[in-house]
Amino acid sequence: MTLYLHELKSNRTSFWVWLVSVAAFCCGTVFLFPMTKESMSDLSDAFANMGGFSSAFGMDKLSVATLEGFFGTEIGTIYALGGGMYASLLGIGMLAKEEGAHTAEFLHTLTMSRPAIVTGKLLASLTLLAAFGLLNFGAMLASIAMVGESINLTSLTGYMLAQSLCQGEIFAVCFGISAFLRRNNLGVGLGLALVLYVVDIMSRIADETEWMRILTPFGFSNATDIFVNEGKMETLPVVIGGCIAAAGLAAAYAVYSRRDIST
Amino acid sequence: MNVEQAIRMCGLSKTYGKNRGIDDLTFDVESGEIFGFLGPNGAGKSTTIRCLLGLIRPTDGSGSVFGLDIVKEHRAVMRSVGYLPSETMFYPDMKAGEVIRFAAKVRGMDCSAEAAKLCERLKVDVNKRIRDLSLGNRKKIAIVCAMQHKPSLFVFDEPTSGLDPLIQAEFFALVQEYNAGGATCFLSSHVLPEVRKYCGRAAIIREGRLVAVDSLEKLSRTNTKRVRLEGVTDLALDGISQLKKHENGIDFVYSGDIASLLGILHGQPIADLCIEEPSLEEVFMHYYDNSDKGGNA
């Protein structure tokens, strides 16, 4: 519990910076919608007929002239990228930062076992990710209400839940990688999140690359897919994502519990 | 559980790939003693300590603290240990007092009274943030963290580096007080006067291997002699080390058969001869000496 609270406290600054930044971008984009929806209705057909580009961003499935369509193509992209990057940075540094900051010797010579240290850090991270999702959800609902629009609440809830699962998977993989690292390597975390996002984009451009969608959590949490399916996710990619996340967490426990700690 | 030995090492070894760490260390530290652990830089002192404290896993051999296995029972071992590392770093955004409370909370103990006493004696400003503190002031916090839970075993790695002389004296006063209360102290140090003053026994490690372990009195009373010759300017004999030439002669440390020395001195133009016990520093330098001759005295 002590380490859990310590991690919540020590991560609070980066949490608020990411939360405010992502929420501001998302809510700001919601505020733009009333001003753009008239012009968007004229462009909607054009956006839907741009081939692979339209497919990549889901503009062939939803009209950008509706809030659902605007959310799926614009706001969903911002939130997916922002949330994915935050989750990756949180995960990649969580275990490795102790050695990078030379605090590992202090922490590991108290009375906590290595698995207890991993658990404390994991629970703190999951708490931060859950708070990140809930507060962003609240901010989006508030901004939609403020501009006098309405949105399918089931779809939005399903999307935010899918995004939380996506963030959880990215975090778990980065957390597992963190157990191997001896210092906080932000590039690895950010790079992984961006690669997974690009893999999702590529999987939507052509039929030949569609199989790649199963490799990335951005696949099952894509905003347009979820809004088209009224909040439902595909089961198989979620199960595969869960297995990948479990493997990441198992690696974190197995590696961190046994490896030599540098000082 | 045999608690006669605070620390027991049986063939403790650690290698890093092809690189040596420590090799086949076997010795005991008795309960209640202040035990010195000596060796030059890179000898393996910190590696030994890090094996004992579970930061690294031994590649061979075993070790125990108060009968508890250092690998399998790490958490129980750490309950009875207070560790002061040579270089201390804490979470930079925390205040000194927060670090001290954090260490106590992780141990599940209320150490506030002992911590307050230690902070007062060591003059720790608990309201300063770690990032604003010098090495010496961070070390004082580390001392409080190592001592506040009144452990049965102290493990100190170069404890006085970075501390001013007044705080060094206060630190050793505290060590002696805890030791009088029954605590054991494992003191790894380069500072020979510290070891000579406070330790009853010591181990000497060189290139990862144990070269001697005994009481300081016996370690000093070896067949190593300090020899001073007047009238002789050079001498070649196995067992001579630390040879120094001066205006009218030479002096050196000799470890070997005294009859061989007297034999080679016979017929030399000796104006004066003095053979005496070497100082503790000279004995340790002899052990540290990176030659095959060392370590057999």
Side-chain angles (χ1 to χ4, degrees):
Chain A
M1 192 61 169
T2 306
L3 183 62
Y4 169 79
L5 295 173
H6 166 73
E7 286 297 341
L8 288 183
K9 195 174 172 188
S10 65
N11 281 285
R12 68 187 185 282
T13 305
S14 64
F15 170 78
W16 285 111
V17 167
W18 276 96
L19 175 68
V20 169
S21 304
V22 172
F25 274 118
C26 292
C27 295
T29 313
V30 170
F31 292 140
L32 289 176
F33 177 69
M35 292 177 264
T36 58
K37 69 177 176 183
E38 291 300 323
S39 54
M40 284 291 182
S41 62
D42 298 333
L43 292 170
S44 184
D45 286 345
F47 280 157
N49 291 297
M50 291 193 294
F53 184 78
S54 302
S55 306
F57 293 96
M59 291 183 292
D60 58 335
K61 295 173 186 167
L62 289 170
S63 166
V64 291
T66 65
L67 185 55
E68 278 83 2
F70 188 72
F71 195 100
T73 54
E74 308 292 334
I75 302 166
T77 303
I78 295 169
Y79 184 65
L81 270 174
M85 286 196 286
Y86 174 59
S88 69
L89 292 181
L90 188 65
I92 206 75
M94 192 47 78
L95 293 172
K97 68 182 177 181
E98 300 290 348
E99 283 166 278
H102 306 290
T103 50
E105 196 169 33
F106 171 63
L107 182 62
H108 286 268
T109 53
L110 299 172
T111 53
M112 288 187 82
S113 66
R114 302 258 188 112
I117 290 172
V118 176
T119 302
K121 287 173 173 281
L122 173 62
L123 292 178
S125 304
L126 294 179
T127 304
L128 290 167
L129 285 177
F132 182 84
L134 283 171
L135 291 172
N136 267 301
F137 188 30
M140 284 180 203
L141 287 175
S143 62
I144 290 166
M146 285 167 73
V147 296
E149 296 284 341
S150 62
I151 195 166
N152 184 327
L153 199 59
T154 309
S155 297
L156 183 61
T157 307
Y159 170 70
M160 294 305 286
L161 178 65
Q163 278 299 313
S164 289
L165 293 178
C166 169
Q167 290 159 16
E169 183 184 333
I170 294 171
F171 165 80
V173 171
C174 289
F175 193 66
I177 295 170
S178 182
F180 291 89
L181 302 177
R182 296 196 184 278
R183 63 186 171 85
N184 194 354
N185 198 325
L186 303 180
V188 174
L190 276 181
L192 180 72
L194 292 174
V195 164
L196 290 172
Y197 185 77
V198 170
V199 167
D200 179 54
I201 296 288
M202 288 169 65
S203 74
R204 291 168 191 280
I205 291 174
D207 290 342
E208 291 78 14
T209 55
E210 194 179 357
W211 61 272
M212 293 168 73
R213 198 183 309 177
I214 208 117
L215 301 174
T216 166
F218 291 108
F220 66 73
S221 61
N222 181 273
T224 49
D225 291 347
I226 290 173
F227 274 89
V228 166
N229 295 318
E230 295 191 339
K232 294 191 181 74
M233 287 174 273
E234 287 181 78
T235 308
L236 182 63
V238 174
V239 171
I240 291 171
C243 293
I244 293 171
L249 297 183
Y253 276 97
V255 173
Y256 202 72
S257 294
R258 294 186 63 83
R259 80 168 174 80
D260 291 347
I261 300 291
S262 62
T263 54
Chain B
M1 187 170 74
N2 182 1
V3 293
E4 293 298 312
Q5 281 81 37
I7 299 172
R8 168 160 274 190
M9 294 182 213
C10 300
L12 197 69
S13 303
K14 176 69 183 177
T15 52
Y16 300 96
K18 289 180 181 173
N19 296 324
R20 167 195 62 75
I22 52 172
D23 185 18
D24 197 24
L25 293 189
T26 299
F27 65 91
D28 294 341
V29 176
E30 304 295 327
S31 239
E33 72 174 329
I34 301 180
F35 186 92
F37 193 47
L38 297 155
N41 287 332
K45 300 189 301 294
S46 292
T47 300
T48 307
I49 288 174
R50 296 178 67 226
C51 274
L52 272 180
L53 302 179
L55 290 165
I56 56 177
R57 294 172 79 90
T59 41
D60 203 2
S62 63
S64 63
V65 170
F66 296 116
L68 299 164
D69 187 275
I70 56 172
V71 176
K72 293 174 189 158
E73 296 167 286
H74 168 254
R75 202 174 163 205
V77 165
M78 293 315 299
R79 279 198 198 101
S80 57
V81 172
Y83 171 52
L84 175 60
S86 56
E87 290 173 27
T88 50
M89 183 45 87
F90 304 106
Y91 303 107
D93 290 336
M94 289 172 88
K95 291 180 179 176
E98 290 173 334
V99 168
I100 293 165
R101 282 193 296 278
F102 175 82
K105 275 186 184 175
V106 170
R107 291 183 178 280
M109 298 171 73
D110 178 6
C111 307
S112 49
E114 192 70 8
K117 182 191 92 176
L118 289 164
C119 287
E120 189 183 339
R121 288 183 63 173
L122 295 168
K123 299 179 174 60
V124 174
D125 184 348
V126 293
N127 294 312
K128 280 209 164 175
R129 293 208 182 269
I130 296 298
R131 63 166 172 259
D132 298 328
L133 295 176
S134 64
L135 168 68
N137 280 317
R138 288 205 307 271
K139 194 130 199 177
K140 290 195 290 186
I141 297 163
I143 294 171
V144 177
C145 291
M147 292 180 167
Q148 63 175 342
H149 57 291
K150 300 181 190 170
S152 309
L153 171 65
F154 290 104
V155 177
F156 298 132
D157 190 2
E158 304 295 345
T160 52
S161 62
L163 295 178
D164 68 56
L166 288 175
I167 297 297
Q168 286 185 24
E170 195 62 43
F171 167 75
F172 278 111
L174 286 164
V175 171
Q176 287 181 305
E177 285 169 31
Y178 286 115
N179 180 243
T184 309
C185 177
F186 184 79
L187 171 65
S188 170
S189 179
H190 286 300
V191 187
L192 296 176
E194 278 178 8
V195 174
R196 185 175 50 203
K197 190 171 179 183
Y198 299 106
C199 297
R201 292 197 310 140
I204 300 172
I205 183 174
R206 196 189 66 210
E207 293 178 359
R209 293 187 174 188
L210 190 71
V211 292
V213 54
D214 215 326
S215 67
L216 287 188
E217 191 186 353
K218 285 184 182 168
L219 284 172
S220 303
R221 203 190 309 136
T222 63
N223 65 349
T224 301
K225 304 292 177 194
R226 150 95 14 227
V227 181
R228 185 178 175 84
L229 285 170
E230 298 287 337
V232 178
T233 55
D234 201 7
L235 200 64
L237 180 65
D238 282 350
I240 288 179
S241 62
Q242 299 174 49
L243 181 78
K244 288 176 194 160
K245 295 184 180 181
H246 51 85
E247 195 178 344
N248 299 317
I250 53 175
D251 60 53
F252 52 88
V253 172
Y254 177 69
S255 57
D257 181 17
I258 201 76
S260 302
L261 177 66
L262 293 175
I264 202 166
L265 290 179
H266 182 71
Q268 297 275 350
I270 298 170
D272 195 8
L273 167 64
C274 177
I275 300 177
E276 60 186 1
E277 292 293 328
S279 69
L280 189 59
E281 280 75 3
E282 285 168 332
V283 172
F284 288 134
M285 286 307 292
H286 163 71
Y287 281 115
Y288 287 6
D289 189 8
N290 188 18
S291 70
D292 292 337
K293 296 173 289 201
N296 300 321

